[in-house]
Amino acid sequence: MCFSLLGLYLTFMTGVERTGNRLLCNIVGSLIHFVCLASVFWMSAEATNLLMVKVFNADVHRFMFKASVVCWGLPGLIVITNSLASPASLSTCS
C-alpha cells in the first residue's frame, strides 16, 4: 500500500501541471487513475487480512502474493479497459 500511495503522490505532484502535451496528459491521467485504484484495493486487502487473522483465526496460504496479484492486476485491467473503451475519458487535457 505504501508504494501505491507514494506513486499516487509522486504522479500527482509531478504530473498535475503537464497539460500542454495531450499524450503526456493522458498518460499522467491514466497513472493517477491506476495508483488511486491500487491504493483502494490495497486498503481492502489489508482489511480482509486483518479480518481473517484477528476475527476468524484463519491463515490464508500465500496471502500477500495473492493480494499483490489482485491489487496490482485488477486496477491495471480497469484502466486498460477504460482507456480502450473511451480514450477521451482519460483526462481533461486542453
Side-chain angles (χ1 to χ4, degrees), residues 3 11 19 23-24 27-28 31 39 41 45 52 56 60 65 69-70 82-83 85:
F3 292 121
T11 305
T19 59
L23 176 65
L24 184 60
I27 290 171
V28 169
L31 280 174
S39 298
F41 273 78
M52 296 298 288
F56 297 122
V60 179
F65 175 75
V69 169
V70 170
N82 185 33
S83 64

Side-chain angles (χ1 to χ4, degrees), residues 32-89:
I32 289 174
H33 188 197
F34 171 73
V35 292
C36 188
L37 282 173
S39 298
V40 171
F41 273 78
W42 273 111
M43 286 183 230
S44 299
E46 289 182 7
T48 303
N49 189 32
L50 185 67
L51 178 75
M52 296 298 288
V53 170
K54 293 292 183 184
V55 175
F56 297 122
N57 286 333
D59 186 30
V60 179
H61 181 68
R62 296 175 52 111
F63 179 80
M64 288 308 292
F65 175 75
K66 294 174 186 175
S68 295
V69 169
V70 170
C71 293
W72 292 115
L74 281 180
L77 185 64
I78 291 169
V79 170
I80 289 171
T81 304
N82 185 33
S83 64
L84 292 176
S86 178
S89 70

Side-chain angles (χ1 to χ4, degrees), residues 8-20 25 28-29 32:
L8 177 61
Y9 296 145
L10 290 177
T11 305
F12 182 78
M13 295 303 287
T14 59
V16 73
E17 297 292 326
R18 313 257 189 232
T19 59
C25 185
V28 169
I32 289 174

